[in-house]
Amino acid sequence: MAVTMNDVAKAAGVSLKTVSNVLNNYEFIRPATKQRVEDAIAELGYEANLTARSLRSGKTSMLGLVLSDLSAPYYAELASRLMDAATKHGYRVLVEQSAADSGAELNALQGPFRQLTDGLLFTPLSIGADAIAERAGSKPLVMLGEHIVDPRFDLVTMKNEEAAAALTSHLLAGGRRRIAVIGATAEESTGTAGLRLNGYRAALKKAGIPFDPALIAPGEWRRDAGAAAVAGLLEAGVEFDAVFGLNDVLALGAMHELLIRGVRVPQDVAVAGFDDVDEARFASPSLTTVSPGMDEIAERSMALLLDRIAGRETADAGVHVEAEFQLNIRESAP
Amino acid sequence: MAVTMNDVAKAAGVSLKTVSNVLNNYEFIRPATKQRVEDAIAELGYEANLTARSLRSGKTSMLGLVLSDLSAPYYAELASRLMDAATKHGYRVLVEQSAADSGAELNALQGPFRQLTDGLLFTPLSIGADAIAERAGSKPLVMLGEHIVDPRFDLVTMKNEEAAAALTSHLLAGGRRRIAVIGATAEESTGTAGLRLNGYRAALKKAGIPFDPALIAPGEWRRDAGAAAVAGLLEAGVEFDAVFGLNDVLALGAMHELLIRGVRVPQDVAVAGFDDVDEARFASPSLTTVSPGMDEIAERSMALLLDRIAGRETADAGVHVEAEFQLNIRESAP
DNA sequence: CTGAAAGCGCTTACAG
DNA sequence: CTGAAAGCGCTTACAG
């Protein structure tokens, strides 16, 4: 059997409550008593039972993170930072992969996963604001990304439209006129893909260039889908002089397919992405992309969630934060 | 207040025990009783309190995964698969990033992290077998990787030496004679780096080519370090016609640096890696690498851990599993 | 400053 | 097949 608080109390010759006081840093405790308790703890090698503490206090010291797929570099990098941040504040993070499946997203919101955590960082991809509001419960919930922009929820996101517009303008300034977009359908205008596409359209409009739906190719946000989308455009005979992958892996997959087919990057076709994952910098050619402010996103979302949990943030309406972005011009689209 | 088992018992007109029996799929229960309890559960929207269950049963339904850094593609991909596998068996996985720090590794082994989990999948990088044995406690513990090969512990790993030898032989067969290795020191012979280096040396020996320590460049296993290591070799005037990055990101960083400096890959210098992360297939040129059998590793390690937890695996000595590898010959070293 | 007691919501022998 | 009771190891009013 493990050592319990009771054992410590006996060894130190005090009551249970006193041990608890010492453990919880209660102020008004006689130094000598405190010392005796600490000695007993050290001697017995006592470690608090977190489950018991959690049952009694209702706090778990765990935070939930819901995202579609941890093996996607953007999410992997984000999760890694969030975990480091959580550790600094005495929390652990429990990750749930939704695979962008609505059932999985709903489950993460109310099932055991929610119960096990004091608050949630949630990247919704399939379910809507009302479905979330219905099940949100009372525990703090901070949205990540831009599928749900709703005054009811806290939200930490990036400047998708502005950044996509800036990137598109950069491609236009480089003389590109037929910029293919990979990772969206021509009709999309909400969610991450939609917002980035809006930015693209806005930049075209500003430059007086008509929007051509033939240039927009859908695809899951993975490398193989990026490659397949470019292959599709090429085989359909669509002409283009640039490719904007709505995220980096899409752009990287597209670039690979172009190079394999003997299309020169950037001479024949410029390629740009979005995310600035580490891989972008080391691709050949290195990838021009948007750095969406991941550090700021990780930091702000964690701070906001912890503030909600601790009751330091009390705004009734959702707090909305937008991280600053930056354009990283590299070889693939100079 | 949340709905408790007591509420369900009252609503169904049965005792607590009966509700518990239904929840735990106890066999001998009258169908009518079972139905009544299930109706009450559905009507009240009852959800078991996992913390209470855990306090009483001593089981947490969580598994621990300790690795150095979740943002490294190999670990991100592995973690993603392990989580999916765990979910299938009703477990969640709690990840701890050790940053290869011995203090963090020791903490993961016995602190709160251990307490919160029913078993551990552990990639030790800094601490030794004795330190682990001392603190291992009684909960199941499966080692991942090859830092610790010890009869006391269960281990699931890959054929590092064989695979590295096969890859090196492939480079030699392609006419390469001065193969630089990145990610180890010339003296290493244990741990992942050491084993892969051993394989390299064995292949050289077999081909009658002397080992040249000048060709071995150390570096953290990251892209930037791979690039820096190659830059270092080049600037030191070391001649080489191939680079073996001891993992993919190292190789990819190295390849990027070569290309930037106008060295052609594979014409002037062939490049090969180890891991076969998704990125390898889509690099330009695509990366020749070892596929170490990640699917098998994820599957076998999860199965072994769950078998230990459930008591299905009872071997006193550690069970050792080695996944099969495969060579993926691509453009960077045809 | 410190003690004795209740209770968080389950599971599990122990009876019947 | 089902009930009444104890207890997992904490925290937290309530007294003093």
Side-chain angles (χ1 to χ4, degrees):
Chain A
M1 281 287 60
V3 181
T4 72
M5 268 175 65
N6 244 315
D7 302 327
V8 175
K10 256 173 225 152
V14 298
S15 81
L16 248 191
K17 176 65 161 83
T18 304
V19 179
S20 175
N21 281 343
V22 171
L23 289 174
N24 296 297
N25 287 313
Y26 181 63
E27 265 187 300
F28 308 106
I29 191 164
R30 229 177 308 208
T33 313
K34 184 170 177 177
Q35 190 58 53
R36 250 187 313 146
V37 172
E38 279 168 349
D39 289 349
I41 287 175
E43 192 177 332
L44 298 174
Y46 169 74
E47 264 179 8
N49 178 319
L50 299 183
T51 303
R53 176 176 289 174
S54 164
L55 175 58
R56 188 54 235 236
S57 70
K59 299 278 183 188
T60 66
S61 291
M62 291 201 284
L63 266 22
L65 173 62
V66 184
L67 41 74
S68 67
D69 178 5
L70 200 52
S71 69
Y74 176 78
Y75 287 126
E77 292 181 14
L78 181 63
S80 175
R81 283 170 216 218
L82 287 171
M83 284 180 178
D84 286 343
T87 302
K88 277 195 202 104
H89 296 277
Y91 283 86
R92 288 162 208 292
V93 359
L94 199 55
V95 178
E96 179 87 359
Q97 303 190 100
S98 70
D101 173 70
S102 59
E105 291 187 352
L106 291 173
N107 280 338
L109 221 43
Q110 45 179 187
F113 183 72
R114 198 73 200 287
Q115 220 185 79
L116 288 169
T117 52
D118 293 338
L120 219 55
L121 255 18
F122 189 20
T123 307
L125 292 169
S126 293
I127 62 179
D130 291 339
I132 296 177
E134 224 171 84
R135 279 156 253 251
S138 56
K139 285 188 186 175
L141 175 61
V142 173
M143 302 291 164
L144 247 30
E146 44 292 311
H147 181 64
I148 304 287
V149 180
D150 189 295
R152 287 172 286 183
F153 303 114
D154 289 336
L155 170 68
V156 177
T157 185
M158 53 184 77
K159 301 195 169 180
N160 282 294
E161 290 206 36
E162 272 187 55
L167 183 64
T168 305
S169 294
H170 167 72
L171 293 172
L172 292 169
R176 311 291 169 166
R177 286 299 171 267
R178 306 259 315 150
I179 307 172
V181 175
I182 296 188
T185 59
E187 303 75 35
E188 252 173 302
S189 67
T190 60
T192 310
L195 293 175
R196 291 181 190 172
L197 188 60
N198 289 347
Y200 163 85
R201 296 178 76 142
L204 286 189
K205 192 166 184 183
K206 198 168 138 201
I209 295 177
F211 173 76
D212 180 358
L215 286 167
I216 314 302
E220 306 259 312
W221 290 21
R222 297 187 316 261
R223 295 178 189 83
D224 59 347
V230 153
L233 289 173
L234 253 19
E235 279 155 24
V238 177
E239 297 200 0
F240 54 92
D241 52 16
V243 170
F244 174 13
L246 290 184
N247 79 348
D248 281 352
V249 291
L250 233 21
L252 261 0
M255 188 159 81
H256 179 250
E257 186 69 22
L258 290 170
L259 293 170
I260 275 187
R261 291 171 176 253
V263 178
R264 293 170 307 160
V265 177
Q267 296 87 334
D268 302 330
V269 171
V271 175
F274 200 115
D275 280 349
D276 198 24
V277 296
D278 190 53
E279 184 181 349
R281 196 154 54 98
F282 291 98
S284 302
S286 57
L287 186 69
T288 289
T289 187
V290 170
S291 172
M294 188 192 282
D295 282 328
E296 195 180 347
I297 290 171
E299 204 174 289
R300 298 293 297 275
S301 60
M302 183 55 66
L304 180 52
L305 185 62
L306 293 176
D307 282 350
R308 287 289 190 190
I309 290 173
R312 285 186 298 266
E313 175 59 66
T314 57
D316 278 337
V319 174
H320 287 199
V321 176
E322 268 190 350
E324 290 303 323
F325 72 94
Q326 190 186 310
L327 224 54
N328 284 136
I329 311 298
R330 303 204 181 97
E331 298 164 344
S332 71
Chain B
M1 282 286 60
V3 181
T4 73
M5 267 174 65
N6 244 314
D7 301 327
V8 174
K10 258 174 223 152
V14 299
S15 81
L16 247 192
K17 175 67 162 85
T18 305
V19 179
S20 175
N21 281 344
V22 172
L23 289 174
N24 296 298
N25 287 314
Y26 182 63
E27 266 186 298
F28 308 106
I29 190 163
R30 227 177 309 207
T33 314
K34 186 170 177 179
Q35 190 58 52
R36 251 188 311 146
V37 171
E38 280 169 348
D39 289 349
I41 288 175
E43 191 178 333
L44 298 174
Y46 169 74
E47 264 179 7
N49 179 317
L50 299 183
T51 304
R53 176 176 290 174
S54 164
L55 175 58
R56 188 54 234 238
S57 71
K59 299 280 183 186
T60 66
S61 291
M62 290 200 286
L63 266 22
L65 173 62
V66 184
L67 41 74
S68 67
D69 178 6
L70 198 53
S71 70
Y74 176 78
Y75 286 127
E77 291 181 15
L78 181 62
S80 176
R81 284 170 215 219
L82 287 171
M83 283 181 179
D84 286 342
T87 301
K88 276 195 204 105
H89 296 278
Y91 283 86
R92 290 162 207 294
V93 359
L94 199 55
V95 177
E96 180 87 359
Q97 303 191 98
S98 69
D101 173 70
S102 59
E105 291 187 352
L106 291 174
N107 280 337
L109 221 42
Q110 46 180 187
F113 183 72
R114 199 75 201 284
Q115 222 184 76
L116 288 168
T117 53
D118 293 338
L120 219 55
L121 255 17
F122 190 21
T123 308
L125 292 168
S126 292
I127 62 180
D130 290 339
I132 296 177
E134 224 171 84
R135 276 157 257 249
S138 55
K139 286 187 186 175
L141 175 60
V142 173
M143 303 291 166
L144 247 29
E146 45 292 311
H147 181 64
I148 305 287
V149 179
D150 189 295
R152 285 172 288 184
F153 304 114
D154 289 336
L155 170 69
V156 178
T157 185
M158 54 184 76
K159 302 196 167 178
N160 282 294
E161 291 206 37
E162 272 187 56
L167 183 63
T168 306
S169 294
H170 168 72
L171 294 171
L172 293 168
R176 312 291 169 166
R177 285 299 173 269
R178 305 256 319 147
I179 307 171
V181 175
I182 297 188
T185 59
E187 302 76 34
E188 253 173 301
S189 67
T190 60
T192 310
L195 292 175
R196 292 182 189 171
L197 188 60
N198 289 349
Y200 163 85
R201 297 178 76 143
L204 287 188
K205 192 166 185 185
K206 197 169 139 199
I209 296 177
F211 172 77
D212 180 358
L215 285 168
I216 315 302
E220 306 259 312
W221 289 22
R222 296 188 317 262
R223 295 178 189 83
D224 59 347
V230 154
L233 288 173
L234 253 19
E235 278 154 25
V238 177
E239 296 199 2
F240 53 92
D241 52 16
V243 172
F244 174 14
L246 290 184
N247 78 350
D248 281 352
V249 292
L250 233 21
L252 260 0
M255 189 160 78
H256 179 250
E257 187 69 22
L258 290 170
L259 294 170
I260 274 188
R261 292 171 175 252
V263 178
R264 293 170 307 160
V265 177
Q267 296 87 334
D268 301 331
V269 172
V271 176
F274 199 115
D275 280 349
D276 197 25
V277 296
D278 190 53
E279 183 181 351
R281 196 153 54 97
F282 291 97
S284 302
S286 57
L287 186 71
T288 290
T289 186
V290 169
S291 171
M294 188 192 282
D295 281 328
E296 193 180 348
I297 290 172
E299 202 174 291
R300 298 292 299 273
S301 60
M302 182 57 65
L304 180 52
L305 185 61
L306 293 175
D307 282 350
R308 286 290 189 190
I309 289 173
R312 286 186 297 266
E313 174 60 67
T314 56
D316 277 338
V319 174
H320 287 199
V321 176
E322 268 190 349
E324 288 306 321
F325 72 94
Q326 189 186 310
L327 224 53
N328 283 136
I329 311 297
R330 303 205 181 96
E331 299 165 345
S332 71

PDB file of all heavy atoms in Angstrom, chain A residues 130-150:
ATOM      1  N   ASP A 130     -23.789  26.203 -32.461  1.00  0.00           N
ATOM      2  CA  ASP A 130     -24.936  25.836 -31.626  1.00  0.00           C
ATOM      3  C   ASP A 130     -24.752  24.468 -30.990  1.00  0.00           C
ATOM      4  O   ASP A 130     -25.062  24.275 -29.818  1.00  0.00           O
ATOM      5  CB  ASP A 130     -26.228  25.869 -32.453  1.00  0.00           C
ATOM      6  CG  ASP A 130     -26.593  27.302 -32.838  1.00  0.00           C
ATOM      7  OD1 ASP A 130     -26.121  28.236 -32.158  1.00  0.00           O
ATOM      8  OD2 ASP A 130     -27.319  27.481 -33.832  1.00  0.00           O
ATOM      9  N   ALA A 131     -24.247  23.540 -31.771  1.00  0.00           N
ATOM     10  CA  ALA A 131     -23.993  22.199 -31.236  1.00  0.00           C
ATOM     11  C   ALA A 131     -23.015  22.293 -30.067  1.00  0.00           C
ATOM     12  O   ALA A 131     -23.154  21.585 -29.061  1.00  0.00           O
ATOM     13  CB  ALA A 131     -23.429  21.297 -32.319  1.00  0.00           C
ATOM     14  N   ILE A 132     -22.043  23.172 -30.199  1.00  0.00           N
ATOM     15  CA  ILE A 132     -21.071  23.330 -29.119  1.00  0.00           C
ATOM     16  C   ILE A 132     -21.709  23.983 -27.905  1.00  0.00           C
ATOM     17  O   ILE A 132     -21.565  23.510 -26.779  1.00  0.00           O
ATOM     18  CB  ILE A 132     -19.860  24.165 -29.597  1.00  0.00           C
ATOM     19  CG1 ILE A 132     -19.125  23.408 -30.713  1.00  0.00           C
ATOM     20  CG2 ILE A 132     -18.919  24.451 -28.449  1.00  0.00           C
ATOM     21  CD1 ILE A 132     -17.957  24.153 -31.311  1.00  0.00           C
ATOM     22  N   ALA A 133     -22.456  25.050 -28.146  1.00  0.00           N
ATOM     23  CA  ALA A 133     -23.084  25.782 -27.044  1.00  0.00           C
ATOM     24  C   ALA A 133     -23.989  24.855 -26.229  1.00  0.00           C
ATOM     25  O   ALA A 133     -24.028  24.914 -25.005  1.00  0.00           O
ATOM     26  CB  ALA A 133     -23.872  26.955 -27.590  1.00  0.00           C
ATOM     27  N   GLU A 134     -24.682  23.995 -26.935  1.00  0.00           N
ATOM     28  CA  GLU A 134     -25.608  23.068 -26.290  1.00  0.00           C
ATOM     29  C   GLU A 134     -24.905  22.132 -25.309  1.00  0.00           C
ATOM     30  O   GLU A 134     -25.477  21.704 -24.325  1.00  0.00           O
ATOM     31  CB  GLU A 134     -26.227  22.213 -27.399  1.00  0.00           C
ATOM     32  CG  GLU A 134     -27.709  21.988 -27.312  1.00  0.00           C
ATOM     33  CD  GLU A 134     -28.155  21.327 -28.593  1.00  0.00           C
ATOM     34  OE1 GLU A 134     -28.038  20.081 -28.672  1.00  0.00           O
ATOM     35  OE2 GLU A 134     -28.574  22.036 -29.536  1.00  0.00           O
ATOM     36  N   ARG A 135     -23.687  21.761 -25.682  1.00  0.00           N
ATOM     37  CA  ARG A 135     -22.973  20.765 -24.890  1.00  0.00           C
ATOM     38  C   ARG A 135     -21.808  21.314 -24.101  1.00  0.00           C
ATOM     39  O   ARG A 135     -21.082  20.569 -23.468  1.00  0.00           O
ATOM     40  CB  ARG A 135     -22.392  19.695 -25.838  1.00  0.00           C
ATOM     41  CG  ARG A 135     -23.393  18.681 -26.236  1.00  0.00           C
ATOM     42  CD  ARG A 135     -22.959  18.071 -27.540  1.00  0.00           C
ATOM     43  NE  ARG A 135     -23.836  18.583 -28.577  1.00  0.00           N
ATOM     44  CZ  ARG A 135     -24.749  17.858 -29.199  1.00  0.00           C
ATOM     45  NH1 ARG A 135     -24.824  16.584 -28.968  1.00  0.00           N
ATOM     46  NH2 ARG A 135     -25.545  18.403 -30.080  1.00  0.00           N
ATOM     47  N   ALA A 136     -21.605  22.619 -24.197  1.00  0.00           N
ATOM     48  CA  ALA A 136     -20.357  23.183 -23.658  1.00  0.00           C
ATOM     49  C   ALA A 136     -20.213  22.973 -22.156  1.00  0.00           C
ATOM     50  O   ALA A 136     -19.105  22.895 -21.644  1.00  0.00           O
ATOM     51  CB  ALA A 136     -20.261  24.652 -23.997  1.00  0.00           C
ATOM     52  N   GLY A 137     -21.335  22.879 -21.454  1.00  0.00           N
ATOM     53  CA  GLY A 137     -21.237  22.720 -20.013  1.00  0.00           C
ATOM     54  C   GLY A 137     -20.660  23.972 -19.381  1.00  0.00           C
ATOM     55  O   GLY A 137     -20.637  25.044 -19.993  1.00  0.00           O
ATOM     56  N   SER A 138     -20.175  23.822 -18.156  1.00  0.00           N
ATOM     57  CA  SER A 138     -19.752  25.019 -17.443  1.00  0.00           C
ATOM     58  C   SER A 138     -18.240  25.153 -17.370  1.00  0.00           C
ATOM     59  O   SER A 138     -17.712  26.184 -16.984  1.00  0.00           O
ATOM     60  CB  SER A 138     -20.335  24.990 -16.034  1.00  0.00           C
ATOM     61  OG  SER A 138     -19.935  23.785 -15.414  1.00  0.00           O
ATOM     62  N   LYS A 139     -17.537  24.103 -17.763  1.00  0.00           N
ATOM     63  CA  LYS A 139     -16.082  24.213 -17.691  1.00  0.00           C
ATOM     64  C   LYS A 139     -15.554  25.102 -18.814  1.00  0.00           C
ATOM     65  O   LYS A 139     -16.108  25.108 -19.911  1.00  0.00           O
ATOM     66  CB  LYS A 139     -15.446  22.824 -17.814  1.00  0.00           C
ATOM     67  CG  LYS A 139     -15.575  21.979 -16.555  1.00  0.00           C
ATOM     68  CD  LYS A 139     -14.748  20.714 -16.718  1.00  0.00           C
ATOM     69  CE  LYS A 139     -14.946  19.758 -15.546  1.00  0.00           C
ATOM     70  NZ  LYS A 139     -14.233  18.484 -15.779  1.00  0.00           N
ATOM     71  N   PRO A 140     -14.468  25.808 -18.546  1.00  0.00           N
ATOM     72  CA  PRO A 140     -13.893  26.712 -19.541  1.00  0.00           C
ATOM     73  C   PRO A 140     -13.555  25.989 -20.847  1.00  0.00           C
ATOM     74  O   PRO A 140     -13.156  24.821 -20.848  1.00  0.00           O
ATOM     75  CB  PRO A 140     -12.638  27.227 -18.863  1.00  0.00           C
ATOM     76  CG  PRO A 140     -12.942  27.149 -17.412  1.00  0.00           C
ATOM     77  CD  PRO A 140     -13.767  25.907 -17.256  1.00  0.00           C
ATOM     78  N   LEU A 141     -13.735  26.734 -21.918  1.00  0.00           N
ATOM     79  CA  LEU A 141     -13.586  26.191 -23.257  1.00  0.00           C
ATOM     80  C   LEU A 141     -13.039  27.309 -24.131  1.00  0.00           C
ATOM     81  O   LEU A 141     -13.670  28.355 -24.248  1.00  0.00           O
ATOM     82  CB  LEU A 141     -14.970  25.756 -23.738  1.00  0.00           C
ATOM     83  CG  LEU A 141     -15.149  25.248 -25.150  1.00  0.00           C
ATOM     84  CD1 LEU A 141     -14.306  24.010 -25.378  1.00  0.00           C
ATOM     85  CD2 LEU A 141     -16.622  24.932 -25.397  1.00  0.00           C
ATOM     86  N   VAL A 142     -11.874  27.110 -24.709  1.00  0.00           N
ATOM     87  CA  VAL A 142     -11.300  28.122 -25.595  1.00  0.00           C
ATOM     88  C   VAL A 142     -11.165  27.529 -26.991  1.00  0.00           C
ATOM     89  O   VAL A 142     -10.593  26.456 -27.165  1.00  0.00           O
ATOM     90  CB  VAL A 142      -9.918  28.601 -25.086  1.00  0.00           C
ATOM     91  CG1 VAL A 142      -9.247  29.512 -26.097  1.00  0.00           C
ATOM     92  CG2 VAL A 142     -10.061  29.311 -23.746  1.00  0.00           C
ATOM     93  N   MET A 143     -11.707  28.232 -27.971  1.00  0.00           N
ATOM     94  CA  MET A 143     -11.626  27.760 -29.355  1.00  0.00           C
ATOM     95  C   MET A 143     -10.286  28.143 -29.957  1.00  0.00           C
ATOM     96  O   MET A 143      -9.791  29.251 -29.729  1.00  0.00           O
ATOM     97  CB  MET A 143     -12.716  28.411 -30.208  1.00  0.00           C
ATOM     98  CG  MET A 143     -14.102  28.186 -29.729  1.00  0.00           C
ATOM     99  SD  MET A 143     -14.549  26.460 -29.939  1.00  0.00           S
ATOM    100  CE  MET A 143     -15.977  26.448 -28.864  1.00  0.00           C
ATOM    101  N   LEU A 144      -9.796  27.250 -30.755  1.00  0.00           N
ATOM    102  CA  LEU A 144      -8.559  27.492 -31.491  1.00  0.00           C
ATOM    103  C   LEU A 144      -8.931  27.434 -32.966  1.00  0.00           C
ATOM    104  O   LEU A 144      -9.684  26.554 -33.375  1.00  0.00           O
ATOM    105  CB  LEU A 144      -7.589  26.362 -31.206  1.00  0.00           C
ATOM    106  CG  LEU A 144      -6.305  26.593 -30.434  1.00  0.00           C
ATOM    107  CD1 LEU A 144      -6.410  27.708 -29.438  1.00  0.00           C
ATOM    108  CD2 LEU A 144      -5.848  25.318 -29.781  1.00  0.00           C
ATOM    109  N   GLY A 145      -8.412  28.345 -33.759  1.00  0.00           N
ATOM    110  CA  GLY A 145      -8.752  28.316 -35.177  1.00  0.00           C
ATOM    111  C   GLY A 145      -9.986  29.142 -35.438  1.00  0.00           C
ATOM    112  O   GLY A 145     -10.426  29.897 -34.574  1.00  0.00           O
ATOM    113  N   GLU A 146     -10.574  28.972 -36.600  1.00  0.00           N
ATOM    114  CA  GLU A 146     -11.571  29.941 -37.010  1.00  0.00           C
ATOM    115  C   GLU A 146     -12.835  29.330 -37.577  1.00  0.00           C
ATOM    116  O   GLU A 146     -13.607  29.963 -38.237  1.00  0.00           O
ATOM    117  CB  GLU A 146     -10.973  30.865 -38.053  1.00  0.00           C
ATOM    118  CG  GLU A 146     -10.185  30.113 -39.077  1.00  0.00           C
ATOM    119  CD  GLU A 146      -8.939  29.519 -38.434  1.00  0.00           C
ATOM    120  OE1 GLU A 146      -8.220  30.227 -37.740  1.00  0.00           O
ATOM    121  OE2 GLU A 146      -8.757  28.301 -38.609  1.00  0.00           O
ATOM    122  N   HIS A 147     -13.019  28.071 -37.276  1.00  0.00           N
ATOM    123  CA  HIS A 147     -14.247  27.462 -37.756  1.00  0.00           C
ATOM    124  C   HIS A 147     -15.433  28.109 -37.035  1.00  0.00           C
ATOM    125  O   HIS A 147     -16.486  28.333 -37.617  1.00  0.00           O
ATOM    126  CB  HIS A 147     -14.198  25.957 -37.480  1.00  0.00           C
ATOM    127  CG  HIS A 147     -15.400  25.226 -37.961  1.00  0.00           C
ATOM    128  ND1 HIS A 147     -15.716  25.147 -39.295  1.00  0.00           N
ATOM    129  CD2 HIS A 147     -16.373  24.570 -37.298  1.00  0.00           C
ATOM    130  CE1 HIS A 147     -16.829  24.447 -39.426  1.00  0.00           C
ATOM    131  NE2 HIS A 147     -17.252  24.087 -38.231  1.00  0.00           N
ATOM    132  N   ILE A 148     -15.243  28.387 -35.765  1.00  0.00           N
ATOM    133  CA  ILE A 148     -16.308  28.974 -34.951  1.00  0.00           C
ATOM    134  C   ILE A 148     -15.909  30.366 -34.496  1.00  0.00           C
ATOM    135  O   ILE A 148     -15.050  30.522 -33.618  1.00  0.00           O
ATOM    136  CB  ILE A 148     -16.531  28.130 -33.672  1.00  0.00           C
ATOM    137  CG1 ILE A 148     -16.828  26.678 -34.014  1.00  0.00           C
ATOM    138  CG2 ILE A 148     -17.637  28.751 -32.827  1.00  0.00           C
ATOM    139  CD1 ILE A 148     -18.165  26.411 -34.588  1.00  0.00           C
ATOM    140  N   VAL A 149     -16.509  31.383 -35.084  1.00  0.00           N
ATOM    141  CA  VAL A 149     -16.298  32.730 -34.582  1.00  0.00           C
ATOM    142  C   VAL A 149     -17.654  33.157 -34.055  1.00  0.00           C
ATOM    143  O   VAL A 149     -18.573  33.432 -34.821  1.00  0.00           O
ATOM    144  CB  VAL A 149     -15.817  33.672 -35.697  1.00  0.00           C
ATOM    145  CG1 VAL A 149     -15.617  35.066 -35.135  1.00  0.00           C
ATOM    146  CG2 VAL A 149     -14.516  33.155 -36.294  1.00  0.00           C
ATOM    147  N   ASP A 150     -17.770  33.160 -32.739  1.00  0.00           N
ATOM    148  CA  ASP A 150     -19.080  33.351 -32.137  1.00  0.00           C
ATOM    149  C   ASP A 150     -18.887  34.090 -30.814  1.00  0.00           C
ATOM    150  O   ASP A 150     -18.006  33.722 -30.034  1.00  0.00           O
ATOM    151  CB  ASP A 150     -19.705  31.966 -31.907  1.00  0.00           C
ATOM    152  CG  ASP A 150     -21.154  32.041 -31.482  1.00  0.00           C
ATOM    153  OD1 ASP A 150     -21.415  32.571 -30.373  1.00  0.00           O
ATOM    154  OD2 ASP A 150     -22.020  31.562 -32.234  1.00  0.00           O
TER     155      ASP A 150
END
